[in-house]
């Protein structure tokens, strides 16, 4: 029997590190699932393809390793949960300086993770995997995302274990790790962070007279926590931000190194 795993892969920093961790921990059949739920930051879907390509190139020739990716169209979430800034462009993304005291950020998508994990558990049972990984991290619970908490993972597992024949364990291996620790792990494993996307906004700047370039906004909570993680780990975030000039000074002040 192969060691099989189902893993949610969004194209973001955390889930990309998870993919490499899965190989590092001995899984030799990894089935990744990507959800297209009508999110405004569609750039992350492009990054999924880049991460799969990077991973396959790095581990090309590994005899027992098998990786698949399934992209699921679940845009119904945008229709049934229009209260989030990720599913409704009429709602502004939160600014990191305006979130203090909020029980839940406006970027929270109601019951998104529960829906995703239910789908992944169904897929895991069909392919014979006994584990599902998703990229909840320490800062998610602290930021008000209840479906990224240890309590949530425990309770979802209680439901999953009612299955009388196929016991599937839902795990969040990054849950006890800070952003800096996740970045350090990703660098150790060879993750190319320049091919990940964390920002909930997709700012456009003019690259030339005929083209535009998508760049991130460091004032959004997701990007702010990402940048802080890189600085805490002693590295420069390799993607470009609207506030790049200020960030370059920050990197210099903290003697940050380059990374992929």
């Amino acid at each position: 029997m192969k060691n099989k795993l189902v893993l949610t892969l969004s194209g973001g920093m955390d889930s990309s590190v998870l993919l490499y961790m899965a190989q590092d921990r001995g899984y030799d059949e990894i089935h990744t699932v990507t959800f297209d739920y009508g999110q405004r930051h569609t750039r992350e879907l492009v990054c999924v393809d880049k991460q799969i390509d990077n991973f396959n190139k790095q581990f090309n020739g590994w005899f027992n390793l098998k990786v698949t990716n399934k992209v699921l169209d679940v845009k119904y979430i945008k229709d049934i949960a229009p209260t989030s800034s990720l599913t409704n462009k009429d709602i502004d993304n939160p600014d990191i300086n305006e979130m203090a005291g909020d029980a839940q950020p406006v970027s929270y998508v109601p019951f998104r993770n529960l829906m995703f994990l239910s789908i992944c558990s169904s897929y895991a049972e069909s392919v014979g995997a006994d584990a599902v990984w998703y990229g909840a991290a320490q800062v998610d619970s602290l930021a008000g995302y209840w479906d990224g908490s240890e309590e949530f993972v425990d309770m979802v597992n209680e439901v999953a274990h009612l299955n009388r024949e196929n016991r599937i364990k839902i795990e969040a291996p990054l849950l006890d790790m800070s952003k800096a620790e996740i970045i350090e792990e990703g660098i150790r494993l060879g993750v190319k962070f320049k091919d990940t996307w964390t920002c909930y906004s997709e700012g456009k700047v003019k690259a030339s007279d005929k083209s535009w370039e998508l760049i991130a906004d460091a004032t959004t909570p997701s990007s702010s926590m990402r940048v802080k993680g890189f600085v805490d780990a002693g590295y420069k975030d390799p993607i470009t931000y609207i506030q790049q000039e200020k960030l370059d000074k920050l990197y210099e002040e903290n003697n940050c190194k380059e990374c992929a």
Side-chain angles (χ1 to χ4, degrees), residues 5-22:
L5 171 72
V6 170
L7 183 152
T8 61
L9 184 64
S10 69
M13 182 180 79
D14 297 336
S15 67
S16 297
V17 172
L18 271 190
L19 174 60
Y20 284 74
M21 285 177 64

Side-chain angles (χ1 to χ4, degrees), residues 205-224:
V205 297
K206 204 164 189 178
S208 69
D209 290 338
K210 296 182 180 180
S211 67
W212 294 82
E213 177 189 4
L214 287 176
I215 62 173
D217 183 353
T219 66
T220 62
S222 55
S223 289
S224 176

